[in-house]
mmCIF file of all heavy atoms in Angstrom:
data_model
loop_
_atom_site.group_PDB
_atom_site.id
_atom_site.type_symbol
_atom_site.label_atom_id
_atom_site.label_comp_id
_atom_site.label_asym_id
_atom_site.label_seq_id
_atom_site.Cartn_x
_atom_site.Cartn_y
_atom_site.Cartn_z
ATOM 1 N N ILE A 1 0.788 -1.226 -0.045
ATOM 2 C CA ILE A 1 0.022 0.000 -0.070
ATOM 3 C C ILE A 1 0.856 1.284 -0.096
ATOM 4 O O ILE A 1 0.507 2.235 -0.642
ATOM 5 C CB ILE A 1 -1.075 0.055 1.282
ATOM 6 C CG1 ILE A 1 -2.086 1.056 0.979
ATOM 7 C CG2 ILE A 1 -0.300 0.093 2.477
ATOM 8 C CD1 ILE A 1 -3.010 0.797 -0.074
ATOM 9 N N ALA A 2 1.943 1.222 0.570
ATOM 10 C CA ALA A 2 2.824 2.492 0.695
ATOM 11 C C ALA A 2 3.602 2.782 -0.558
ATOM 12 O O ALA A 2 3.951 3.922 -0.773
ATOM 13 C CB ALA A 2 3.793 2.424 1.950
ATOM 14 N N SER A 3 3.789 1.788 -1.374
ATOM 15 C CA SER A 3 4.520 1.995 -2.538
ATOM 16 C C SER A 3 3.835 1.833 -3.922
ATOM 17 O O SER A 3 3.931 2.374 -4.902
ATOM 18 C CB SER A 3 5.700 0.822 -2.677
ATOM 19 O OG SER A 3 6.553 1.078 -1.591
ATOM 20 N N ALA A 4 2.647 1.100 -3.786
ATOM 21 C CA ALA A 4 1.918 0.679 -4.959
ATOM 22 C C ALA A 4 0.419 1.520 -4.782
ATOM 23 O O ALA A 4 -0.248 1.823 -5.730
ATOM 24 C CB ALA A 4 1.594 -0.658 -5.301
ATOM 25 N N GLY A 5 -0.083 1.578 -3.561
ATOM 26 C CA GLY A 5 -1.379 2.341 -3.293
ATOM 27 C C GLY A 5 -2.583 1.546 -3.723
ATOM 28 O O GLY A 5 -3.534 2.263 -4.007
ATOM 29 N N ILE A 6 -2.641 0.235 -3.764
ATOM 30 C CA ILE A 6 -3.788 -0.417 -4.493
ATOM 31 C C ILE A 6 -4.405 -1.188 -3.322
ATOM 32 O O ILE A 6 -3.683 -1.778 -2.438
ATOM 33 C CB ILE A 6 -3.446 -1.272 -5.659
ATOM 34 C CG1 ILE A 6 -2.299 -2.250 -5.456
ATOM 35 C CG2 ILE A 6 -3.051 -0.311 -6.819
ATOM 36 C CD1 ILE A 6 -1.952 -3.160 -6.551
ATOM 37 N N TYR A 7 -5.619 -1.363 -3.445
ATOM 38 C CA TYR A 7 -6.503 -2.294 -2.528
ATOM 39 C C TYR A 7 -7.588 -2.926 -3.311
ATOM 40 O O TYR A 7 -7.913 -2.440 -4.370
ATOM 41 C CB TYR A 7 -7.002 -1.438 -1.292
ATOM 42 C CG TYR A 7 -7.983 -0.302 -1.801
ATOM 43 C CD1 TYR A 7 -9.392 -0.495 -1.922
ATOM 44 C CD2 TYR A 7 -7.510 1.015 -2.053
ATOM 45 C CE1 TYR A 7 -10.113 0.416 -2.251
ATOM 46 C CE2 TYR A 7 -8.422 1.990 -2.399
ATOM 47 C CZ TYR A 7 -9.715 1.642 -2.627
ATOM 48 O OH TYR A 7 -10.601 2.806 -2.966
ATOM 49 N N VAL A 8 -7.954 -4.084 -2.744
ATOM 50 C CA VAL A 8 -8.996 -4.909 -3.451
ATOM 51 C C VAL A 8 -10.123 -5.264 -2.394
ATOM 52 O O VAL A 8 -9.735 -5.741 -1.140
ATOM 53 C CB VAL A 8 -8.444 -6.249 -3.988
ATOM 54 C CG1 VAL A 8 -9.513 -6.851 -4.916
ATOM 55 C CG2 VAL A 8 -7.134 -5.862 -4.733
ATOM 56 N N LEU A 9 -11.375 -5.215 -2.716
ATOM 57 C CA LEU A 9 -12.433 -5.747 -1.870
ATOM 58 C C LEU A 9 -13.023 -6.995 -2.614
ATOM 59 O O LEU A 9 -12.968 -7.117 -3.843
ATOM 60 C CB LEU A 9 -13.456 -4.757 -1.730
ATOM 61 C CG LEU A 9 -13.178 -3.668 -0.678
ATOM 62 C CD1 LEU A 9 -12.370 -2.547 -1.300
ATOM 63 C CD2 LEU A 9 -14.527 -3.045 -0.106
ATOM 64 N N PRO A 10 -13.493 -7.978 -1.882
ATOM 65 C CA PRO A 10 -13.973 -9.159 -2.503
ATOM 66 C C PRO A 10 -15.192 -8.898 -3.461
ATOM 67 O O PRO A 10 -15.860 -7.762 -3.440
ATOM 68 C CB PRO A 10 -14.464 -10.053 -1.316
ATOM 69 C CG PRO A 10 -13.756 -9.455 -0.123
ATOM 70 C CD PRO A 10 -13.569 -7.960 -0.357
ATOM 71 N N GLN A 11 -15.648 -9.970 -4.170
ATOM 72 C CA GLN A 11 -16.785 -9.859 -4.831
ATOM 73 C C GLN A 11 -17.926 -9.404 -3.958
ATOM 74 O O GLN A 11 -18.224 -9.998 -3.127
ATOM 75 C CB GLN A 11 -17.139 -11.315 -5.406
ATOM 76 C CG GLN A 11 -18.463 -11.476 -6.124
ATOM 77 C CD GLN A 11 -18.338 -11.066 -7.671
ATOM 78 O OE1 GLN A 11 -17.262 -10.656 -8.114
ATOM 79 N NE2 GLN A 11 -19.350 -11.498 -8.490
ATOM 80 N N HIS A 12 -18.621 -8.425 -4.477
ATOM 81 C CA HIS A 12 -19.767 -7.813 -3.729
ATOM 82 C C HIS A 12 -21.015 -8.653 -3.777
ATOM 83 O O HIS A 12 -21.265 -9.282 -4.822
ATOM 84 C CB HIS A 12 -20.121 -6.329 -4.353
ATOM 85 C CG HIS A 12 -20.989 -5.554 -3.448
ATOM 86 N ND1 HIS A 12 -22.369 -5.728 -3.352
ATOM 87 C CD2 HIS A 12 -20.628 -4.759 -2.482
ATOM 88 C CE1 HIS A 12 -22.969 -4.928 -2.482
ATOM 89 N NE2 HIS A 12 -21.906 -4.227 -1.989
ATOM 90 N N PRO A 13 -21.692 -8.773 -2.642
ATOM 91 C CA PRO A 13 -22.737 -9.874 -2.540
ATOM 92 C C PRO A 13 -23.990 -9.641 -3.314
ATOM 93 O O PRO A 13 -24.608 -10.510 -3.694
ATOM 94 C CB PRO A 13 -23.087 -9.883 -1.078
ATOM 95 C CG PRO A 13 -22.660 -8.557 -0.500
ATOM 96 C CD PRO A 13 -21.426 -8.273 -1.348
ATOM 97 N N THR A 14 -24.151 -8.315 -3.761
ATOM 98 C CA THR A 14 -25.316 -7.959 -4.509
ATOM 99 C C THR A 14 -24.989 -7.405 -5.896
ATOM 100 O O THR A 14 -25.632 -7.658 -6.907
ATOM 101 C CB THR A 14 -26.305 -7.144 -3.744
ATOM 102 O OG1 THR A 14 -25.547 -5.854 -3.499
ATOM 103 C CG2 THR A 14 -26.865 -7.638 -2.498
ATOM 104 N N GLN A 15 -23.821 -6.543 -5.845
ATOM 105 C CA GLN A 15 -23.505 -5.840 -7.190
ATOM 106 C C GLN A 15 -22.698 -6.792 -8.144
ATOM 107 O O GLN A 15 -22.459 -6.517 -9.346
ATOM 108 C CB GLN A 15 -22.629 -4.660 -6.754
ATOM 109 C CG GLN A 15 -23.501 -3.552 -6.051
ATOM 110 C CD GLN A 15 -24.719 -3.106 -6.713
ATOM 111 O OE1 GLN A 15 -24.670 -2.801 -7.796
ATOM 112 N NE2 GLN A 15 -25.855 -3.148 -5.912
ATOM 113 N N ARG A 16 -22.138 -7.818 -7.592
ATOM 114 C CA ARG A 16 -21.460 -8.768 -8.282
ATOM 115 C C ARG A 16 -20.208 -8.333 -9.071
ATOM 116 O O ARG A 16 -20.015 -8.643 -10.270
ATOM 117 C CB ARG A 16 -22.416 -9.564 -9.326
ATOM 118 C CG ARG A 16 -23.675 -10.092 -8.751
ATOM 119 C CD ARG A 16 -23.476 -11.141 -7.664
ATOM 120 N NE ARG A 16 -24.527 -11.813 -7.140
ATOM 121 C CZ ARG A 16 -24.532 -12.587 -6.014
ATOM 122 N NH1 ARG A 16 -23.391 -12.816 -5.394
ATOM 123 N NH2 ARG A 16 -25.725 -12.972 -5.467
ATOM 124 N N VAL A 17 -19.428 -7.452 -8.392
ATOM 125 C CA VAL A 17 -18.265 -6.912 -8.951
ATOM 126 C C VAL A 17 -17.170 -6.821 -7.842
ATOM 127 O O VAL A 17 -17.496 -7.020 -6.812
ATOM 128 C CB VAL A 17 -18.459 -5.465 -9.426
ATOM 129 C CG1 VAL A 17 -19.435 -5.403 -10.600
ATOM 130 C CG2 VAL A 17 -19.010 -4.550 -8.351
ATOM 131 N N VAL A 18 -15.953 -6.902 -8.295
ATOM 132 C CA VAL A 18 -14.806 -6.727 -7.400
ATOM 133 C C VAL A 18 -14.374 -5.356 -7.490
ATOM 134 O O VAL A 18 -14.012 -4.843 -8.546
ATOM 135 C CB VAL A 18 -13.595 -7.715 -7.866
ATOM 136 C CG1 VAL A 18 -12.317 -7.394 -7.038
ATOM 137 C CG2 VAL A 18 -14.015 -9.198 -7.712
ATOM 138 N N LYS A 19 -14.342 -4.674 -6.365
ATOM 139 C CA LYS A 19 -14.005 -3.320 -6.283
ATOM 140 C C LYS A 19 -12.472 -3.180 -6.006
ATOM 141 O O LYS A 19 -11.921 -3.784 -5.170
ATOM 142 C CB LYS A 19 -14.736 -2.639 -5.243
ATOM 143 C CG LYS A 19 -14.254 -1.076 -5.030
ATOM 144 C CD LYS A 19 -15.044 -0.476 -3.927
ATOM 145 C CE LYS A 19 -14.378 0.844 -3.419
ATOM 146 N NZ LYS A 19 -15.178 1.564 -2.336
ATOM 147 N N VAL A 20 -11.734 -2.301 -6.876
ATOM 148 C CA VAL A 20 -10.389 -1.974 -6.639
ATOM 149 C C VAL A 20 -10.225 -0.572 -6.607
ATOM 150 O O VAL A 20 -10.968 0.266 -7.206
ATOM 151 C CB VAL A 20 -9.469 -2.676 -7.662
ATOM 152 C CG1 VAL A 20 -9.770 -4.136 -7.757
ATOM 153 C CG2 VAL A 20 -9.653 -1.945 -9.007
ATOM 154 N N GLY A 21 -9.075 -0.019 -5.999
ATOM 155 C CA GLY A 21 -8.836 1.476 -6.051
ATOM 156 C C GLY A 21 -7.498 1.747 -5.853
ATOM 157 O O GLY A 21 -6.664 0.918 -5.441
ATOM 158 N N LEU A 22 -7.087 3.035 -5.983
ATOM 159 C CA LEU A 22 -5.767 3.632 -5.772
ATOM 160 C C LEU A 22 -5.993 4.525 -4.554
ATOM 161 O O LEU A 22 -6.910 5.392 -4.490
ATOM 162 C CB LEU A 22 -5.286 4.388 -6.918
ATOM 163 C CG LEU A 22 -5.019 3.492 -8.261
ATOM 164 C CD1 LEU A 22 -4.643 4.515 -9.293
ATOM 165 C CD2 LEU A 22 -3.998 2.567 -8.052
ATOM 166 N N HIS A 23 -5.120 4.420 -3.644
ATOM 167 C CA HIS A 23 -5.046 5.263 -2.455
ATOM 168 C C HIS A 23 -3.699 5.933 -2.297
ATOM 169 O O HIS A 23 -2.748 5.454 -1.894
ATOM 170 C CB HIS A 23 -5.293 4.436 -1.167
ATOM 171 C CG HIS A 23 -5.307 5.225 0.134
ATOM 172 N ND1 HIS A 23 -6.326 6.070 0.464
ATOM 173 C CD2 HIS A 23 -4.345 5.419 1.175
ATOM 174 C CE1 HIS A 23 -6.044 6.550 1.675
ATOM 175 N NE2 HIS A 23 -4.872 6.242 2.089
ATOM 176 N N THR A 24 -3.751 7.192 -2.890
ATOM 177 C CA THR A 24 -2.514 7.876 -2.933
ATOM 178 C C THR A 24 -2.825 9.368 -2.655
ATOM 179 O O THR A 24 -3.730 9.747 -1.909
ATOM 180 C CB THR A 24 -2.058 7.929 -4.486
ATOM 181 O OG1 THR A 24 -2.967 8.670 -5.276
ATOM 182 C CG2 THR A 24 -1.859 6.491 -5.051
ATOM 183 N N SER A 25 -1.883 10.360 -3.016
ATOM 184 C CA SER A 25 -2.161 11.769 -2.718
ATOM 185 C C SER A 25 -3.251 12.307 -3.393
ATOM 186 O O SER A 25 -3.847 13.323 -3.129
ATOM 187 C CB SER A 25 -0.865 12.598 -2.987
ATOM 188 O OG SER A 25 -0.502 12.383 -4.408
ATOM 189 N N GLY A 26 -3.721 11.499 -4.496
ATOM 190 C CA GLY A 26 -4.803 12.001 -5.347
ATOM 191 C C GLY A 26 -4.654 13.193 -6.206
ATOM 192 O O GLY A 26 -3.445 13.791 -6.204
ATOM 193 N N ARG A 27 -5.655 13.732 -6.812
ATOM 194 C CA ARG A 27 -5.557 14.931 -7.598
ATOM 195 C C ARG A 27 -6.560 15.957 -6.937
ATOM 196 O O ARG A 27 -7.608 15.570 -6.491
ATOM 197 C CB ARG A 27 -5.797 14.703 -9.024
ATOM 198 C CG ARG A 27 -7.139 13.967 -9.244
ATOM 199 C CD ARG A 27 -7.353 13.949 -10.890
ATOM 200 N NE ARG A 27 -8.072 12.857 -11.358
ATOM 201 C CZ ARG A 27 -9.375 13.114 -11.922
ATOM 202 N NH1 ARG A 27 -9.961 14.266 -12.019
ATOM 203 N NH2 ARG A 27 -10.082 12.119 -12.385
ATOM 204 N N ASP A 28 -6.076 17.213 -7.049
ATOM 205 C CA ASP A 28 -6.850 18.213 -6.414
ATOM 206 C C ASP A 28 -8.179 18.377 -7.200
ATOM 207 O O ASP A 28 -8.187 18.349 -8.461
ATOM 208 C CB ASP A 28 -6.167 19.590 -6.502
ATOM 209 C CG ASP A 28 -5.048 19.656 -5.440
ATOM 210 O OD1 ASP A 28 -5.175 19.084 -4.358
ATOM 211 O OD2 ASP A 28 -3.905 20.136 -5.784
ATOM 212 N N LEU A 29 -9.321 18.546 -6.527
ATOM 213 C CA LEU A 29 -10.647 18.669 -7.184
ATOM 214 C C LEU A 29 -11.404 19.821 -6.590
ATOM 215 O O LEU A 29 -11.445 20.011 -5.300
ATOM 216 C CB LEU A 29 -11.331 17.376 -7.197
ATOM 217 C CG LEU A 29 -11.159 16.250 -8.054
ATOM 218 C CD1 LEU A 29 -12.120 15.163 -7.818
ATOM 219 C CD2 LEU A 29 -11.370 16.677 -9.528
ATOM 220 N N ASP A 30 -12.195 20.593 -7.329
ATOM 221 C CA ASP A 30 -13.151 21.527 -6.779
ATOM 222 C C ASP A 30 -14.348 20.745 -6.728
ATOM 223 O O ASP A 30 -14.927 20.160 -7.867
ATOM 224 C CB ASP A 30 -13.330 22.674 -7.847
ATOM 225 C CG ASP A 30 -14.288 23.731 -7.189
ATOM 226 O OD1 ASP A 30 -15.458 23.324 -7.070
ATOM 227 O OD2 ASP A 30 -13.723 24.851 -6.996
ATOM 228 N N PRO A 31 -15.029 20.562 -5.619
ATOM 229 C CA PRO A 31 -16.199 19.692 -5.547
ATOM 230 C C PRO A 31 -17.350 20.246 -6.462
ATOM 231 O O PRO A 31 -18.348 19.373 -6.846
ATOM 232 C CB PRO A 31 -16.633 19.619 -4.036
ATOM 233 C CG PRO A 31 -15.336 20.147 -3.347
ATOM 234 C CD PRO A 31 -14.656 21.058 -4.289
ATOM 235 N N GLU A 32 -17.429 21.477 -6.721
ATOM 236 C CA GLU A 32 -18.573 21.995 -7.420
ATOM 237 C C GLU A 32 -18.252 22.029 -8.980
ATOM 238 O O GLU A 32 -19.169 21.827 -9.792
ATOM 239 C CB GLU A 32 -18.773 23.476 -7.075
ATOM 240 C CG GLU A 32 -19.443 23.534 -5.595
ATOM 241 C CD GLU A 32 -20.850 22.834 -5.534
ATOM 242 O OE1 GLU A 32 -21.502 22.802 -6.526
ATOM 243 O OE2 GLU A 32 -21.053 22.179 -4.449
ATOM 244 N N ARG A 33 -17.088 22.264 -9.342
ATOM 245 C CA ARG A 33 -16.811 22.663 -10.846
ATOM 246 C C ARG A 33 -16.101 21.449 -11.515
ATOM 247 O O ARG A 33 -16.271 21.382 -12.751
ATOM 248 C CB ARG A 33 -15.969 23.918 -10.874
ATOM 249 C CG ARG A 33 -16.627 25.140 -10.563
ATOM 250 C CD ARG A 33 -15.835 26.452 -10.769
ATOM 251 N NE ARG A 33 -14.710 26.627 -10.037
ATOM 252 C CZ ARG A 33 -14.703 27.210 -8.854
ATOM 253 N NH1 ARG A 33 -15.838 27.749 -8.378
ATOM 254 N NH2 ARG A 33 -13.684 27.369 -8.056
ATOM 255 N N ASP A 34 -15.310 20.702 -10.894
ATOM 256 C CA ASP A 34 -14.571 19.662 -11.719
ATOM 257 C C ASP A 34 -15.384 18.450 -11.797
ATOM 258 O O ASP A 34 -16.131 18.080 -10.956
ATOM 259 C CB ASP A 34 -13.347 19.440 -10.822
ATOM 260 C CG ASP A 34 -12.325 20.501 -10.748
ATOM 261 O OD1 ASP A 34 -12.489 21.400 -11.700
ATOM 262 O OD2 ASP A 34 -11.399 20.521 -10.091
ATOM 263 N N ASP A 35 -15.143 17.790 -12.967
ATOM 264 C CA ASP A 35 -15.778 16.556 -13.259
ATOM 265 C C ASP A 35 -15.154 15.479 -12.435
ATOM 266 O O ASP A 35 -14.078 15.532 -11.833
ATOM 267 C CB ASP A 35 -15.755 16.254 -14.749
ATOM 268 C CG ASP A 35 -14.372 15.889 -15.292
ATOM 269 O OD1 ASP A 35 -13.560 15.181 -14.751
ATOM 270 O OD2 ASP A 35 -13.983 16.495 -16.347
ATOM 271 N N ARG A 36 -15.792 14.237 -12.324
ATOM 272 C CA ARG A 36 -15.428 13.176 -11.693
ATOM 273 C C ARG A 36 -15.183 11.888 -12.495
ATOM 274 O O ARG A 36 -15.427 10.806 -12.214
ATOM 275 C CB ARG A 36 -16.473 12.727 -10.461
ATOM 276 C CG ARG A 36 -16.995 13.930 -9.758
ATOM 277 C CD ARG A 36 -15.881 14.497 -8.855
ATOM 278 N NE ARG A 36 -16.459 15.766 -8.219
ATOM 279 C CZ ARG A 36 -17.393 15.771 -7.257
ATOM 280 N NH1 ARG A 36 -17.894 14.630 -6.759
ATOM 281 N NH2 ARG A 36 -17.817 16.838 -6.768
ATOM 282 N N ILE A 37 -14.537 12.167 -13.610
ATOM 283 C CA ILE A 37 -14.361 11.150 -14.563
ATOM 284 C C ILE A 37 -12.868 10.613 -14.428
ATOM 285 O O ILE A 37 -11.996 11.273 -14.411
ATOM 286 C CB ILE A 37 -14.484 11.665 -16.022
ATOM 287 C CG1 ILE A 37 -15.909 12.089 -16.157
ATOM 288 C CG2 ILE A 37 -14.157 10.483 -17.049
ATOM 289 C CD1 ILE A 37 -16.298 12.798 -17.513
ATOM 290 N N VAL A 38 -12.835 9.274 -14.384
ATOM 291 C CA VAL A 38 -11.602 8.628 -14.216
ATOM 292 C C VAL A 38 -10.796 8.744 -15.546
ATOM 293 O O VAL A 38 -11.397 8.552 -16.628
ATOM 294 C CB VAL A 38 -11.709 7.084 -13.849
ATOM 295 C CG1 VAL A 38 -10.328 6.316 -13.974
ATOM 296 C CG2 VAL A 38 -12.332 6.922 -12.493
ATOM 297 N N THR A 39 -9.506 9.268 -15.450
ATOM 298 C CA THR A 39 -8.863 9.500 -16.819
ATOM 299 C C THR A 39 -8.299 8.199 -17.284
ATOM 300 O O THR A 39 -8.018 7.239 -16.624
ATOM 301 C CB THR A 39 -7.682 10.486 -16.426
ATOM 302 O OG1 THR A 39 -6.698 9.846 -15.701
ATOM 303 C CG2 THR A 39 -8.204 11.698 -15.845
ATOM 304 N N ASP A 40 -7.811 8.239 -18.550
ATOM 305 C CA ASP A 40 -7.081 7.066 -19.163
ATOM 306 C C ASP A 40 -5.912 6.924 -18.443
ATOM 307 O O ASP A 40 -5.558 5.747 -18.364
ATOM 308 C CB ASP A 40 -6.792 7.476 -20.681
ATOM 309 C CG ASP A 40 -8.057 7.447 -21.508
ATOM 310 O OD1 ASP A 40 -9.196 6.845 -20.995
ATOM 311 O OD2 ASP A 40 -8.145 8.004 -22.633
ATOM 312 N N ALA A 41 -5.196 7.901 -18.032
ATOM 313 C CA ALA A 41 -3.905 7.692 -17.343
ATOM 314 C C ALA A 41 -4.077 6.998 -16.018
ATOM 315 O O ALA A 41 -3.260 6.001 -15.628
ATOM 316 C CB ALA A 41 -3.270 9.063 -17.097
ATOM 317 N N GLU A 42 -5.206 7.301 -15.276
ATOM 318 C CA GLU A 42 -5.433 6.604 -13.947
ATOM 319 C C GLU A 42 -5.788 5.151 -14.225
ATOM 320 O O GLU A 42 -5.410 4.263 -13.371
ATOM 321 C CB GLU A 42 -6.656 7.234 -13.273
ATOM 322 C CG GLU A 42 -6.112 8.721 -12.763
ATOM 323 C CD GLU A 42 -7.195 9.541 -12.278
ATOM 324 O OE1 GLU A 42 -8.345 9.416 -12.816
ATOM 325 O OE2 GLU A 42 -7.086 10.410 -11.428
ATOM 326 N N THR A 43 -6.606 4.932 -15.284
ATOM 327 C CA THR A 43 -6.812 3.513 -15.733
ATOM 328 C C THR A 43 -5.587 2.735 -15.991
ATOM 329 O O THR A 43 -5.463 1.543 -15.614
ATOM 330 C CB THR A 43 -7.828 3.508 -16.881
ATOM 331 O OG1 THR A 43 -9.059 4.291 -16.507
ATOM 332 C CG2 THR A 43 -8.177 2.139 -17.264
ATOM 333 N N ARG A 44 -4.697 3.355 -16.829
ATOM 334 C CA ARG A 44 -3.472 2.631 -17.096
ATOM 335 C C ARG A 44 -2.624 2.393 -15.817
ATOM 336 O O ARG A 44 -2.060 1.221 -15.749
ATOM 337 C CB ARG A 44 -2.638 3.423 -18.028
ATOM 338 C CG ARG A 44 -3.222 3.491 -19.552
ATOM 339 C CD ARG A 44 -2.105 4.083 -20.487
ATOM 340 N NE ARG A 44 -1.658 5.392 -20.169
ATOM 341 C CZ ARG A 44 -2.155 6.514 -20.651
ATOM 342 N NH1 ARG A 44 -3.277 6.553 -21.283
ATOM 343 N NH2 ARG A 44 -1.708 7.663 -20.211
ATOM 344 N N ILE A 45 -2.566 3.352 -14.832
ATOM 345 C CA ILE A 45 -1.892 3.063 -13.695
ATOM 346 C C ILE A 45 -2.428 1.821 -13.026
ATOM 347 O O ILE A 45 -1.750 0.951 -12.462
ATOM 348 C CB ILE A 45 -1.803 4.369 -12.758
ATOM 349 C CG1 ILE A 45 -0.935 5.424 -13.531
ATOM 350 C CG2 ILE A 45 -1.416 4.073 -11.366
ATOM 351 C CD1 ILE A 45 -1.030 6.781 -12.928
ATOM 352 N N MET A 46 -3.790 1.815 -12.763
ATOM 353 C CA MET A 46 -4.329 0.684 -12.170
ATOM 354 C C MET A 46 -4.097 -0.560 -12.821
ATOM 355 O O MET A 46 -3.659 -1.566 -12.041
ATOM 356 C CB MET A 46 -5.971 1.059 -12.101
ATOM 357 C CG MET A 46 -6.760 -0.097 -11.360
ATOM 358 S SD MET A 46 -7.168 -1.644 -12.396
ATOM 359 C CE MET A 46 -8.280 -0.902 -13.590
ATOM 360 N N ARG A 47 -4.154 -0.712 -14.082
ATOM 361 C CA ARG A 47 -3.847 -1.915 -14.793
ATOM 362 C C ARG A 47 -2.325 -2.250 -14.605
ATOM 363 O O ARG A 47 -2.075 -3.348 -14.551
ATOM 364 C CB ARG A 47 -4.269 -1.801 -16.320
ATOM 365 C CG ARG A 47 -5.805 -1.615 -16.443
ATOM 366 C CD ARG A 47 -6.209 -2.121 -17.847
ATOM 367 N NE ARG A 47 -7.703 -1.893 -18.141
ATOM 368 C CZ ARG A 47 -8.628 -2.798 -17.770
ATOM 369 N NH1 ARG A 47 -8.301 -3.723 -17.114
ATOM 370 N NH2 ARG A 47 -9.820 -2.532 -18.092
ATOM 371 N N HIS A 48 -1.527 -1.248 -14.625
ATOM 372 C CA HIS A 48 -0.079 -1.572 -14.470
ATOM 373 C C HIS A 48 0.227 -2.067 -13.111
ATOM 374 O O HIS A 48 0.936 -3.087 -12.954
ATOM 375 C CB HIS A 48 0.759 -0.308 -14.803
ATOM 376 C CG HIS A 48 2.055 -0.331 -14.501
ATOM 377 N ND1 HIS A 48 2.853 -1.103 -15.569
ATOM 378 C CD2 HIS A 48 2.937 -0.056 -13.520
ATOM 379 C CE1 HIS A 48 4.237 -1.001 -15.094
ATOM 380 N NE2 HIS A 48 4.232 -0.503 -13.865
#
């Protein structure tokens, strides 16, 4: 977690998906104005 920043949750009992995420410094966001779309770069990092 301190070097890769990744976590995994088991198959969800009703949603039937495995949830994964990155836990890092993140990117600055304005809660009102900025979009919440995962970027291609973030997806590539997750897959890598």
Side-chain angles (χ1 to χ4, degrees):
I1 193 69
S3 299
I6 54 177
Y7 60 90
V8 191
L9 283 81
Q11 175 89 349
H12 193 276
T14 59
Q15 300 299 314
R16 308 301 181 189
V17 293
V18 173
K19 174 182 165 180
V20 305
L22 298 176
H23 179 74
T24 68
S25 60
R27 53 175 155 113
D28 291 318
L29 278 182
D30 184 301
E32 290 298 326
R33 292 190 288 271
D34 292 340
D35 65 49
R36 312 290 172 77
I37 299 173
V38 174
T39 66
D40 291 342
E42 289 165 333
T43 302
R44 286 197 302 272
I45 290 171
M46 181 275 291
R47 293 198 183 282
H48 178 78

